[in-house]
Amino acid sequence: MLWGAVAGGFAGTLVLTTLLRAAGELSLTRIDLPFLLGTALTSDRSRAKALGYVLHFAVGQLFAFGYLGMFVVIGHSGWLLGAVFGLTHGLFSITALVNVLLPVVHPRMGSTYTAAGSSPLLEPPGFLMRNYGARTPEITIAAHIAYGALVGGLISLAA
Amino acid sequence: MSWGQGVPVVPRRTDGYAPIEQYAAIGDGRTVALVAADGAIDWWCLPDIDSAAVCWSMLDADSGGRFTLAPTAAYTVSRRYVTNTNVLETTFTTATGAVRVTDALLLGQPGLAPLRELYRRVDGVAGQVMMRWQLAPRFDFGRTPTRLVRRAGVPVAQGRGQALAVCSWGAGDPELRPTQLAAQFTLDAGESAGILLAYARGEPLVLPPREEVDERLRETCRTWREWAQSRHHDGPWREAVVRSALALKLLVYAPSGALAAAATTALPEMLGGERNWDYRYCWVRDSAFILDTLTSLGCAPEAEAFFWWLMHASALTHPRLQVLYRLDGGAQATETELALDGYRGSRPVRVGNGASGQLQLDVYGDLLEAAWRYAHTCGTIDPEIARRLAQTADLVAEIWPRPDSGMWEVRSEPQHFTHSKMMCAIALERAAALADLGALPSRHVARWLAEARAVRDFVERNCWSQDAGAYVRSAGSTDVDASVLLAVLFGYSPPDDERLRSTVDVIGERLAQGPFVARYTGDDGLAGTEGAFLACSFWLVEALARTGRRARATALFEQLLSHANDVGLYAEEVDPETGAFLGNFPQGLTHLALISAATALAGEGYRP
């Protein structure tokens, strides 16, 4: 099951990232999670993206192990349950994780409290991350459902 | 001109409306409030500069929200900004004494601060003065009900999902009425009082103690002062330049780095007319000016934040550019009308801006000019942004032959505006120059340069009038347009180009009335007329300076400086007959143009 989580975390993050990137190229959203993560470490855009991808895949693995823990507790796994976890994960991301927590800890991101004394480089995501485009919430949730389904499915296969 | 000393002003109202030039702006990088010379706050949007207003009696004197604070007896007024800050000091003098009111939107540090807080501190200066204050909050332009209640002894105004607590110290016991609260108090010399409006949305109200609020006021003054003192400008007009920089900083929406064109909506370009637009958006048209000004003043963090915002905001519409974007980077700016009386009867009162859907070709030139300046002054352009800029240049090469609405956003039929075509040539040439530097992919450079030559050929054949002796407003027209002055400012042709020099002279002759320059002659699809456009007046100064007529430029510049209001601010337009301000206020483009002109006159500033 452990290797299933590793494979699921990698494949899930790959698909999630690809979906968000494709949506960006289609001008549906400006969300770019690797970019948001990488700019926490550097203001060099290119380096931020490279670092951000590494971080994003690492975070994807961590979440996959979290999913694994919950599957073990429940005593059941599968792509459908994984998709439900992904839905919850996506909702948490757009309402709290990226929307509220990231601006608090990100050194280059503005927040609703940012005042004239500072000039952050990144705009805050706003409620449901809609500052990054009106369709960002549904795209982010769909990508997380895909992530969860892959993690759940591969853990189930490895069980 | 010395705004630091406290300038006497005689407060006036007509039908309940103060003249626009009698307002001063205070802000915190998130929202702006306007304070009239009689001490009334008639404009304040919450929580952000582009949100619905809670004080909006500027747009409806009868039913709009308002916060008044003034002596009960007859008084005279002088006011100024605390030196190098956006904190306003108004001194009221009566027959019995004098008080000083300090108005500020606090910047949030130190301590646990409310989401937004507006502080009015009153200090007794001499004798004894009886003061009266009255707050009538109306959330959401009055579209949702506002309830006034007391919570633990503190008056609180509640709207849908938002609340405004009224904390007061030594300012009387406020009497709560259904739609307003009011109090009066007496202040002796050496005493002080304070009234704080603490705002919350989506979180509990924070009710800070007075010591923390006074500490935040000191910190707010210190932050503004440090920022202003760090600005680079050594010309003879430093005071005006720094005041303009501070006005621009008020319009920078700090959470995203975008710069609002103005702090208000629907202030009329003609009293009683229909030219009442919402300027609480960021115009791509201003981007090159913004970057140039911010970098010339040494505001590198703000310049970088703005460019990042610009590239993020335009991603959703790429490769097309919208004329304007929301301050949070959104592309939606749906125009609607509010059922309000309008400033001195000027209707409709619009929120949102329909110009967002227009085709304006000049914005592509502004974007690539901004990128060019960014690459030269701020930093490198990363490969993804470079790819997008190259695709934008490809688009310009394709669409430049189309007619457009022009930078003035006319609502008549699209035309081949001269300025739009010139900016297309600049877009293509800047893209090629960036590719030369290795900052943009170079695959399409030959096509960009060929199309740029075609644009220039079009301009010279169709937009030059031998009869007028000038580049005219649009192909085949006989009208003139001050936007063509930007050809000088953006380096479309060398400053000694005869056609350009002649155009500057003709614009000065045909569009200027005294020191004020109108935007254009000819139809724009709207009823009525408008005042002179102050940015155009400063552009004429800069164009004269850059074409070698420095003495004329200096004289004109100093005339224009004398027409700032008592605290050094400008609106969008001015009535050339009376000097009364018109249009939205304070206007970012006017202050950008002032700084650019001062920089040109001082012999500074980068030009390609």
Side-chain angles (χ1 to χ4, degrees):
Chain A
M1 283 173 73
L2 202 61
W3 285 108
V6 172
F10 180 78
T13 309
L14 190 72
V15 169
L16 182 149
T17 311
T18 306
L19 284 173
L20 292 182
R21 186 76 208 144
E25 288 296 323
L26 294 170
S27 296
L28 298 174
T29 178
R30 290 184 284 116
I31 185 75
D32 186 339
L33 291 175
F35 181 68
L36 291 180
L37 290 171
T39 47
L41 302 175
T42 174
S43 61
D44 181 304
R45 280 172 164 273
S46 302
R47 201 173 303 154
K49 290 212 166 171
L51 280 169
Y53 274 103
V54 173
L55 274 174
H56 195 219
F57 273 87
V59 171
Q61 288 297 336
L62 281 177
F63 272 105
F65 288 127
Y67 280 35
L68 174 63
M70 286 192 280
F71 289 141
V72 169
V73 169
I74 293 168
H76 176 69
S77 63
W79 67 269
L80 190 58
L81 188 57
V84 172
F85 282 11
L87 171 66
T88 312
H89 183 177
L91 286 170
F92 177 64
S93 293
I94 62 171
T95 54
L97 188 66
V98 179
N99 173 31
V100 177
L101 298 178
L102 192 62
V104 172
V105 298
H106 198 301
R108 293 181 178 83
M109 182 178 280
S111 75
T112 50
Y113 300 98
T114 303
S118 59
S119 299
L121 291 172
L122 290 172
E123 58 178 321
F127 181 60
L128 298 179
M129 305 198 300
R130 285 187 302 184
N131 286 3
Y132 298 155
R135 303 190 65 181
T136 303
E138 63 227 55
I139 290 162
T140 308
I141 288 172
H144 279 83
I145 289 173
Y147 168 86
L150 272 165
V151 173
L154 287 171
I155 287 175
S156 174
L157 279 176
Chain B
M1 174 201 71
S2 183
W3 305 306
Q5 306 305 313
V7 180
V9 51
V10 181
R12 286 181 287 128
R13 293 226 171 223
T14 305
D15 303 328
Y17 295 93
I20 296 169
E21 62 271 20
Q22 289 207 345
Y23 284 95
I26 55 173
D28 59 6
R30 301 164 299 198
T31 185
V32 170
L34 297 184
V35 188
D38 60 10
I41 292 177
D42 292 332
W43 183 254
W44 187 26
C45 296
L46 281 169
D48 299 318
I49 194 169
D50 58 351
S51 305
V54 64
C55 291
W56 39 277
S57 53
M58 267 187 114
L59 297 180
D60 196 322
D62 290 335
S63 59
R66 174 177 286 168
F67 183 8
T68 60
L69 171 63
T72 53
Y75 57 83
T76 59
V77 179
S78 69
R79 58 182 189 167
R80 60 163 202 153
Y81 281 112
V82 176
T83 307
N84 283 333
T85 75
N86 277 318
V87 173
L88 183 70
E89 274 185 4
T90 305
T91 302
F92 294 102
T93 304
T94 69
T96 59
V99 294
R100 184 175 60 239
V101 176
T102 304
D103 288 316
L105 279 158
L106 305 183
L107 298 186
Q109 292 290 331
L112 176 61
L115 184 65
R116 308 284 183 263
E117 54 183 343
L118 188 153
Y119 187 38
R120 313 197 77 176
R121 182 187 158 98
V122 192
D123 288 282
V125 175
Q128 189 180 64
V129 179
M130 180 175 277
M131 299 289 288
R132 177 176 171 76
W133 58 278
Q134 192 170 342
L135 174 68
R138 303 278 186 277
F139 286 115
D140 193 24
F141 288 115
R143 290 174 295 192
T144 56
T146 300
R147 276 194 326 130
L148 282 165
V149 295
R150 263 187 208 276
R151 291 273 163 71
V154 177
V156 174
Q158 289 181 309
R160 187 181 294 166
Q162 47 191 340
L164 196 64
V166 186
C167 306
S168 59
W169 303 280
D173 184 23
E175 179 194 344
L176 220 61
R177 297 173 192 161
T179 58
Q180 63 183 45
L181 61 142
Q184 58 185 43
F185 59 99
T186 303
L187 214 58
D188 289 314
E191 292 180 340
S192 72
I195 307 161
L196 179 88
L197 302 187
Y199 175 76
R201 179 180 188 141
E203 62 182 27
L205 274 165
V206 174
L207 306 173
R210 185 176 184 185
E211 307 76 59
E212 275 192 15
V213 175
D214 279 326
E215 180 57 28
R216 277 199 290 278
L217 176 60
R218 282 190 289 276
E219 186 62 19
T220 298
C221 288
R222 192 188 63 77
T223 304
W224 284 122
R225 208 173 290 126
E226 281 182 4
W227 186 87
Q229 286 168 348
S230 305
R231 305 291 52 93
H232 305 159
H233 184 85
D234 294 325
W237 301 285
R238 180 174 167 83
E239 190 181 0
V241 168
V242 170
R243 177 46 55 202
S244 285
L246 281 161
L248 290 174
K249 187 69 172 164
L250 279 180
L251 298 173
V252 172
Y253 180 61
S256 71
L259 188 135
T264 55
T265 180
L267 293 184
E269 293 170 4
M270 183 186 78
L271 282 181
E274 62 168 330
R275 297 161 188 257
N276 319 316
W277 315 110
D278 190 348
Y279 277 16
R280 300 170 302 155
Y281 295 90
C282 185
W283 264 256
V284 177
R285 163 193 88 185
D286 300 346
S287 55
F289 269 120
I290 293 169
L291 263 172
D292 195 36
T293 301
L294 290 175
T295 50
S296 74
L297 292 172
C299 306
E302 286 88 350
E304 190 164 21
F306 175 76
F307 190 70
W308 277 50
W309 172 86
L310 179 63
M311 296 315 301
H312 285 186
S314 55
L316 280 182
T317 55
H318 178 76
R320 291 192 175 281
L321 287 174
Q322 268 193 190
V323 173
L324 54 93
Y325 292 91
R326 294 171 55 90
L327 303 179
D328 62 17
Q332 289 274 332
T334 311
E335 188 173 295
T336 56
E337 294 177 8
L338 300 176
L340 307 181
D341 281 352
Y343 181 82
R344 296 184 63 184
S346 306
R347 284 185 293 271
V349 173
R350 296 183 179 93
V351 289
N353 199 307
S356 61
Q358 288 185 345
L359 172 66
Q360 290 182 26
L361 292 169
D362 60 295
V363 296
Y364 296 97
D366 290 303
L367 177 76
L368 280 146
E369 177 76 15
W372 167 255
R373 293 180 188 199
Y374 178 82
H376 274 77
T377 53
C378 291
T380 53
I381 293 174
D382 78 278
E384 187 185 328
I385 298 295
R387 181 174 58 87
R388 281 178 42 203
L389 289 171
Q391 289 168 347
T392 301
D394 289 341
L395 179 72
V396 177
E398 181 189 323
I399 65 173
W400 75 261
R402 296 186 195 168
D404 74 331
S405 298
M407 81 172 289
W408 302 126
E409 297 159 6
V410 297
R411 304 221 170 179
S412 51
E413 283 300 302
Q415 297 179 50
H416 292 287
F417 285 104
T418 304
H419 168 256
S420 297
K421 302 300 184 208
M422 287 174 160
M423 291 306 288
C424 285
I426 286 172
L428 294 161
E429 287 163 0
R430 296 293 179 268
L434 282 165
D436 267 357
L437 290 174
L440 253 59
S442 57
R443 270 182 305 149
H444 298 156
V445 166
R447 183 181 172 217
W448 297 341
L449 290 176
E451 292 297 331
R453 282 192 295 274
V455 181
R456 283 180 177 273
D457 187 49
F458 179 92
V459 169
E460 298 308 315
R461 280 191 294 107
N462 300 291
C463 303
W464 169 260
S465 164
Q466 200 62 41
D467 293 342
Y471 290 111
V472 286
R473 187 181 181 206
S474 59
S477 160
T478 54
D479 293 311
V480 287
D481 189 326
S483 64
V484 179
L485 292 170
L486 294 174
V488 182
L489 277 56
F490 285 168
Y492 175 78
S493 299
D496 58 356
D497 179 88
E498 273 311 313
R499 286 189 168 189
L500 218 46
R501 283 173 64 90
S502 171
T503 302
V504 172
D505 290 335
V506 169
I507 287 172
E509 287 159 17
R510 288 181 57 183
L511 291 179
Q513 185 174 349
F516 304 120
V517 178
R519 289 197 277 195
Y520 44 77
T521 59
D523 180 44
D524 57 12
L526 291 163
T529 57
E530 61 172 20
F533 201 77
L534 281 161
C536 295
S537 311
F538 286 109
W539 293 344
L540 180 59
V541 170
E542 185 167 354
L544 287 168
R546 292 195 183 282
T547 51
R549 279 77 64 88
R550 296 182 68 84
R552 245 177 88 193
T554 303
L556 179 56
F557 187 64
E558 296 206 319
Q559 260 187 296
L560 289 168
L561 289 186
S562 70
H563 287 277
N565 77 355
D566 60 305
V567 289
L569 299 180
Y570 292 90
E572 178 192 21
E573 297 190 359
V574 65
D575 181 336
E577 302 286 344
T578 64
F581 283 179
L582 295 165
N584 285 308
F585 176 87
Q587 172 81 352
L589 189 60
T590 308
H591 287 281
L592 285 166
L594 182 154
I595 295 171
S596 190
T599 306
L601 283 171
E604 299 172 17
Y606 162 77
R607 285 291 178 277

